[in-house]
Amino acid sequence: MQSVPLAIEHFRRGGLVVLFDPAGQAHLVVSAEHAGSAELALMQTVGIGAFSLSMTAPEVTGSVSRADLPKCQVVPAREGGLLESENVPEAATDLARLAGVNPQVLVRALAPQEIGAFAEAHGHPSVTITALTHYRRRVDSALDLVAVADLPTCYADRPFITYAYRSRFDEVEHVALVSPGKVEGDPLVRIHSECLTGDSFGSLRCDCGPQLQESMRRLGASPGGILIYMRGHEGRGIGFANKIRAYALQDKGLDTVEANRALGLPEDARHFGHAAQILHALGYISVRLLTNNPEKAASLRRHGVIVSSVEPLVMPPNPFNFHYLDTKATKFGHTLPRTMAVEP
């Protein structure tokens, strides 16, 4: 793998770059603005599947004309790029932004058996999405600190310090609560996704409310413990109304994954890059993470945060959330005890 600056400079000059996603799949990317006949012919020869055109908006001022481009599907990228989502469209458009060219990028997958021969024959630089994410995080931030204040609670003798952050891209506000006292070693951290029904209404369909309460108790007893409350994560990122639509399908027998798919919605649309940025802003690069979700730990590590240990946060099941917890374990890989495999 070459350095990110080398890949950026090569891309700026109109060259192809090989982009590796976290699963190890290679993608050929080239600026749609600078794509010449030679680059397109090469992508036609060695690429597999359809072309896609990654861009932040289908209709932007100064858009590249697609008259001479191969037939391709437009794939929208989130405006915040890799600071919002670690996927190929965001990586491709971020590469263009960093190179100072129009953020419309042609992308085509490279067959696994062709990767070695292609790199040896053509010498195009390659870079991983993880490396590109780290680079973007070093040169830019997606969050602004808006306010800091004390928050007395029933979970600690002294107030938590409350940090309010706002995303520059979608105006979503996130919260960090830091428990009183001086931290020794790595702080205990809980990243909690917003759940109005569980956190506020006491819903028994999930374990979110009990997890939040138990987190606050444990963090209140751990000096310097941090709760990061992620707004915009309702229903694993599909929004409140869509979550209620999914509930209606679950009432008919579907699980949470099946219901989302039936509605044409992603199984999990959350990202935890903002949580990592908040930890960096608070001055921490190594934490103890309170979670059952391995993806949270993996995402923090991809964003440059060391997870020194993972501590479970298991809540007893009830007759209304047994199948929900079972789906978490079997389809999302959450670490839950085997005793939960027996319906109460």
Side-chain angles (χ1 to χ4, degrees):
M1 298 289 172
Q2 283 78 21
S3 68
V4 173
L6 177 63
I8 291 172
E9 179 59 27
H10 188 77
F11 194 83
R12 179 183 293 118
R13 296 181 180 183
L16 284 165
V17 171
V18 183
L19 182 68
F20 285 87
D21 65 26
Q25 171 64 55
H27 305 265
L28 297 174
V29 296
V30 67
S31 166
E33 182 178 11
H34 296 138
S37 58
E39 287 79 17
L40 294 178
L42 183 58
M43 293 179 78
Q44 290 275 20
T45 302
V46 301
I48 57 173
F51 279 89
S52 64
L53 182 65
S54 296
M55 53 202 304
T56 53
E59 302 296 336
V60 294
T61 303
S63 295
V64 174
S65 171
R66 295 200 293 155
D68 298 325
L69 298 182
K71 184 178 181 181
C72 55
Q73 176 186 7
V74 174
V75 179
R78 296 189 183 189
E79 186 179 353
L82 289 170
L83 299 182
E84 289 196 66
S85 177
E86 301 167 50
N87 291 312
V88 173
E90 287 74 24
T93 53
D94 269 8
L95 186 59
R97 284 196 195 100
L98 291 167
V101 300
N102 193 304
Q104 296 184 7
V105 183
L106 278 173
V107 181
R108 198 178 193 205
L110 187 62
Q113 67 271 19
E114 295 177 328
I115 295 173
F118 177 83
E120 182 177 343
H122 301 282
H124 294 292
S126 59
V127 65
T128 65
I129 287 181
T130 299
L132 199 58
T133 301
H134 288 169
Y135 184 87
R136 173 81 196 277
R137 182 174 51 78
R138 286 198 301 268
V139 301
D140 199 2
S141 175
L143 295 175
D144 290 316
L145 177 62
V146 179
V148 181
D150 286 348
L151 183 68
T153 72
C154 61
Y155 300 106
D157 295 334
R158 289 183 291 163
F160 282 78
I161 303 173
T162 307
Y163 296 83
Y165 294 89
R166 181 180 295 127
S167 169
R168 296 177 183 176
F169 302 109
D170 55 18
E171 298 296 310
V172 173
E173 295 172 336
H174 306 291
V175 181
L177 299 181
V178 180
S179 65
K182 182 180 179 181
V183 62
E184 295 184 5
D186 295 339
L188 183 64
V189 172
R190 168 66 182 170
I191 302 172
H192 189 86
S193 293
E194 176 183 28
C195 177
L196 180 63
T197 50
D199 299 343
S200 299
F201 300 154
S203 169
L204 296 177
R205 298 186 74 132
C206 63
D207 59 346
C208 301
Q211 280 193 323
L212 178 60
Q213 294 164 14
E214 177 63 16
S215 296
M216 292 292 288
R217 281 191 285 269
R218 291 171 65 171
L219 294 169
S222 179
I226 304 168
L227 172 77
I228 299 177
Y229 194 87
M230 302 296 296
R231 304 287 305 283
H233 278 200
E234 189 75 52
R236 294 197 186 98
I238 64 175
F240 181 78
N242 281 329
K243 182 168 81 169
I244 302 304
R245 293 172 67 206
Y247 278 175
L249 293 180
Q250 291 169 40
D251 289 340
K252 297 178 181 179
L254 300 186
D255 65 28
T256 56
V257 171
E258 294 165 346
N260 282 24
R261 289 175 178 170
L263 293 170
L265 298 170
E267 299 168 11
D268 192 339
R270 296 174 298 174
H271 67 90
F272 302 101
H274 285 169
Q277 289 182 52
I278 289 172
L279 288 172
H280 282 287
L282 293 173
Y284 296 106
I285 61 171
S286 183
V287 302
R288 294 179 292 133
L289 191 61
L290 192 57
T291 188
N292 306 320
N293 184 356
E295 175 54 27
K296 288 184 180 179
S299 182
L300 287 186
R301 291 182 177 115
R302 289 195 297 269
H303 284 83
V305 176
I306 298 168
V307 179
S308 60
S309 65
V310 174
E311 301 186 16
L313 185 63
V314 179
M315 299 294 103
N318 67 62
F320 300 96
N321 71 10
F322 165 76
H323 291 295
Y324 165 83
L325 294 174
D326 183 65
T327 301
K328 269 189 170 183
T330 58
K331 295 190 176 181
F332 289 106
H334 287 213
T335 306
L336 295 171
R338 295 188 63 182
T339 53
M340 285 192 173
V342 180
E343 187 168 3

